[in-house]
Amino acid sequence: MQPKLIIHGGAGSSLKGKGGIESVRRSLSQVIEEVYALLKSGAKASDAVVLGCQLLEDDPRFNAGTGSVLQSDGQIRMSAALMDGTSQRFSGAINVSRVQHPIDLAHHLQSSPDRVLSDYGAAELLRELQIPLYNPLTELRLEEWMQERQENFVKTMAGVVAEPELVENAGRGTIGVVALDSQGNLAVGTSTGGKGFERIGRVSDSAMPAGNYATIHAAVSCTGIGEDIIDECLAARIVVRVTDGLSLPEAMKRTFAEAHKNQRDLGAIALDATGAIAWGKTSEVLLAAFHDGEKIGDTLESDEGTLTGCLEA
Ligand code: GLY
């Protein structure tokens, strides 16, 4: 079967001008090209998802891994999850620090009897696995935090991309990857630095089934305000609708109409087992790109009022 791939680098307010769009497009396209080549070579969906998440975590523009936002106390705490649709198995790490690729912990935990670890346990696992300590802090994120500190944290979240000139009042950064491999297996991974400036101990949706979920029928990764995603139980809601027989476009339409009515601020990317590619957003822009088997496309210029989009298989 023809592999399919969709990735995101967060959702938020409109990118400023053509320059902003082109620079995010370049970042996303590079990741799509590398990960799609792996899928074409016969790799498993879950391995492609891990590679995609690692590449997006390494891009300091996005709020995951390097470039993660700082929390209210000036520390970085990241969360990531992986779900394999074929085994219907979820694993994740919550509020982990000092690691380059939080998705690696989620990957390791796929075969562990304890599959979701939080801060102290995740740090212990990093030590056990002898994963080298890594500081994901960037100058821009530190400046953003210092500025907010001076203004006494009036903002409730940080910028979606670490380039203040590209977005206006943006928040809601996360990265995510959904893949369908040549054997027809689905997998999804999501990774985030959180909202930025949040209370210590706040838990992101990204390492919950609300933000990252898959069965053999569909797989979804979410971005946006974690509390909104949790309240809608967004990823699991879309996947369960498809699993119960709704088409992916219908499941997306119904779910995003509900989220819009509830005034949520969020986005999602999705694939189903037939190879349909879909996305949805209530925010102004969703930073997503995909490979449909023939070419790369993206959602960067989709209309502000558009809630969902779909490419049928
Ligand atoms: N969606 C990322 C977060 O709210 O933590």
Side-chain angles (χ1 to χ4, degrees):
M1 126 163 247
Q2 180 80 276
K4 299 285 170 73
L5 178 66
I6 183 162
I7 67 174
H8 71 75
S13 306
S14 293
L15 292 162
K16 275 190 189 165
K18 199 74 189 155
I21 291 174
E22 286 310 327
S23 105
V24 171
R25 180 170 282 146
R26 260 194 310 280
S27 285
L28 294 176
S29 295
Q30 277 167 8
V31 175
I32 288 276
E33 272 169 21
E34 197 167 334
V35 178
Y36 197 75
L38 183 68
L39 277 172
K40 277 299 263 188
S41 74
K44 276 182 6 193
S46 55
D47 290 338
V49 163
V50 170
L51 173 67
C53 288
Q54 288 169 340
L55 293 170
L56 289 162
E57 285 172 342
D58 281 343
D59 189 329
R61 169 171 287 140
F62 302 121
N63 175 21
T66 304
S68 284
V69 296
L70 278 63
Q71 300 196 337
S72 55
D73 63 345
Q75 298 298 309
I76 289 175
R77 297 181 185 86
M78 302 166 286
S79 299
L82 179 66
M83 188 150 185
D84 183 289
T86 305
S87 59
Q88 207 178 315
R89 185 173 278 216
F90 181 98
S91 56
I94 295 172
N95 286 335
V96 58
S97 304
R98 301 204 158 264
V99 60
Q100 184 176 2
H101 298 128
I103 194 67
D104 288 351
L105 281 180
H107 192 200
H108 178 82
L109 289 166
Q110 273 283 304
S111 52
S112 156
D114 305 313
R115 277 189 273 118
V116 184
L117 292 187
S118 67
D119 40 27
Y120 177 70
E124 275 296 294
L125 180 61
L126 282 175
R127 198 177 53 78
E128 265 172 53
L129 296 175
Q130 300 188 348
I131 295 178
L133 290 180
Y134 177 83
N135 184 0
L137 179 66
T138 63
E139 198 61 40
L140 263 165
R141 291 303 191 186
L142 181 59
E143 276 170 25
E144 184 182 46
W145 184 84
M146 299 284 276
Q147 177 74 30
E148 269 310 294
R149 187 165 174 256
Q150 272 162 19
E151 291 166 13
N152 208 14
F153 295 112
V154 286
K155 280 192 199 154
T156 52
M157 65 187 86
V160 65
V161 290
E163 284 172 72
E165 71 276 15
L166 292 189
V167 284
E168 291 175 63
N169 297 323
R172 305 148 280 204
T174 302
I175 65 93
V177 179
V178 188
L180 174 70
D181 67 26
S182 52
Q183 302 300 308
N185 302 298
L186 287 161
V188 56
T190 307
S191 182
T192 188
K195 279 197 298 194
F197 319 137
E198 64 267 69
R199 285 181 81 103
I200 304 165
R202 183 248 181 196
V203 176
S204 163
D205 63 287
S206 299
M208 292 185 193
N212 186 84
Y213 198 70
T215 64
I216 54 168
H217 300 286
V220 176
S221 168
C222 300
T223 176
I225 297 178
E227 285 71 6
D228 285 1
I229 295 167
I230 294 166
D231 288 347
E232 293 296 313
C233 202
L234 191 67
R237 190 184 191 113
I238 297 165
V239 171
V240 167
R241 281 183 160 154
V242 177
T243 303
D244 283 350
L246 222 57
S247 71
L248 181 63
E250 271 307 314
M252 292 293 280
K253 266 191 209 142
R254 197 179 288 186
T255 306
F256 275 85
E258 290 161 353
H260 183 61
K261 186 163 157 267
N262 292 336
Q263 299 185 314
R264 309 297 190 195
D265 191 346
L266 41 73
I269 56 171
L271 293 178
D272 74 10
T274 71
I277 300 173
W279 61 91
K281 62 175 174 57
T282 58
S283 50
E284 283 172 27
V285 70
L286 174 69
L287 312 184
F290 50 84
H291 202 304
D292 65 5
E294 284 175 11
K295 58 185 181 324
I296 296 176
D298 64 53
T299 65
L300 300 180
E301 285 168 288
S302 92
D303 287 342
E304 272 178 27
T306 308
L307 287 182
T308 61
C310 188
L311 293 176
E312 304 274 1

